[in-house]
């Protein structure tokens, strides 16, 4: 297949830059402790300095993979599929999610919301970033708001975005891993004073 043909199929969402896929236990947010199959799509230009998967940023180093093959593999492991990145909404997620839903799978996304929403989702975990703010359509449809707390200013950012999501959106504050010892006590105090979190 020519480079142009590959690019065309990637643009259509028929091929996706697959970084990795794995079966695990969800470790964060509203579905903590549940088994899930994770599909990590390469490509991200949000550029968080504390990102724990910076190797996902360059989509060109991840092989364009058939959506059909991704779905067939995912369906072997779990009824819950989590699409993450990188930033998966850089790509058209409609073909992949349609194929996953056709197999009666629950389809979740973890996104910064910085790109237009594509695909059909059972659960949208929005983790907004200051460098590229989320689109209104993602804010309105988010089931979960997960704000990373790196410093005290992030509490204001969290409140700003809590006011922009729907009333049934579940709210989470998560410490950035490298400063967790410092931030966890602050998060605990904050949640005790602001129990909506």
């Amino acid at each position: 297949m020519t480079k142009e043909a590959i690019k065309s199929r990637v643009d259509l969402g028929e091929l996706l830059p697959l970084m990795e896929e794995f079966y695990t236990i969800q470790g964060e947010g509203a579905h903590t402790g549940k088994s899930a199959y994770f599909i990590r799509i390469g490509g991200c230009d949000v550029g968080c300095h504390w990102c724990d998967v910076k190797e996902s940023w360059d989509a060109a180093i991840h092989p364009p993979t058939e959506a059909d093959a991704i779905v067939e593999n995912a369906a072997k492991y779990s009824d819950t599929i989590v699409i993450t990145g990188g930033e998966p909404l850089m790509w058209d997620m409609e073909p992949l999610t349609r194929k996953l839903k056709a197999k009666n799978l629950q389809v979740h996304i973890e996104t910064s919301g910085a790109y237009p929403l594509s695909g059909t989702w059972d659960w949208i975990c929005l983790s907004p970033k200051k460098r590229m703010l989320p689109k209104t359509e993602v804010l309105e449809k988010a089931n979960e708001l997960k704000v990373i707390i790196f410093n005290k200013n992030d509490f204001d950012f969290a409140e700003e975005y809590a006011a922009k999501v729907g009333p049934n959106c579940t709210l989470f504050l998560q410490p950035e891993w490298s400063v967790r010892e410092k931030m966890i006590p602050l998060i605990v105090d904050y949640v005790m004073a602001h129990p909506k979190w």
Side-chain angles (χ1 to χ4, degrees):
M1 193 178 321
T2 66
K3 286 184 181 181
E4 293 78 21
I6 291 170
K7 181 183 180 320
S8 175
R9 294 195 65 216
V10 168
D11 290 345
L12 293 170
E14 296 169 358
L15 294 173
L16 292 166
L18 181 65
M19 179 183 164
E20 62 180 341
E21 52 189 334
F22 52 94
Y23 183 50
T24 189
I25 302 295
Q26 175 60 280
E28 356 176 292
H31 296 280
T32 297
K34 295 180 181 175
S35 63
Y37 191 77
F38 276 69
I39 299 168
R40 187 178 307 281
I41 305 298
C44 185
D45 57 0
V46 178
C48 303
H49 65 91
W50 38 257
C51 179
D52 60 350
V53 283
K54 289 180 179 162
E55 59 274 18
S56 72
W57 291 4
D58 183 2
I61 65 172
H62 304 294
T65 305
E66 294 281 349
D68 287 331
I70 295 171
V71 170
E72 289 306 314
N73 205 33
K76 295 176 191 174
Y77 293 93
S78 181
D79 293 335
T80 302
I81 311 302
V82 179
I83 312 295
T84 189
E87 175 45 68
L89 291 179
M90 287 179 68
W91 315 103
D92 184 355
M93 290 287 108
E94 185 56 38
L96 179 62
T97 61
R98 180 177 11 90
K99 292 167 193 264
L100 290 166
K101 296 301 293 171
K103 294 199 173 278
N104 296 313
L105 301 172
Q106 291 289 305
V107 185
H108 300 192
I109 186 171
E110 296 179 349
T111 179
S112 69
Y115 286 87
L117 191 62
S118 63
T120 303
W121 306 101
D122 296 296
W123 190 263
I124 298 172
C125 174
L126 170 62
S127 185
K129 306 301 188 284
K130 293 176 184 174
R131 235 175 114 321
M132 291 180 71
L133 300 175
K135 304 286 185 197
T136 301
E137 65 181 324
V138 183
L139 286 163
E140 291 172 348
K141 293 183 178 179
N143 302 100
E144 175 180 345
L145 177 69
K146 180 176 68 179
V147 180
I148 306 302
I149 304 296
F150 181 73
N151 60 47
K152 290 180 183 180
N153 295 327
D154 292 329
F155 291 112
D156 292 335
F157 183 72
E159 289 295 343
E160 177 184 351
Y161 281 88
K164 294 180 179 184
V165 295
N168 296 319
C169 187
T170 306
L171 307 177
F172 287 95
L173 300 174
Q174 180 172 309
E176 194 281 321
W177 190 249
S178 71
V179 293
R180 68 190 179 280
E181 300 300 325
K182 177 179 159 186
M183 297 315 299
I184 287 174
L186 297 177
I187 291 171
V188 169
D189 289 345
Y190 193 88
V191 170
M192 296 298 285
H194 305 87
K196 70 181 180 186
W197 291 96

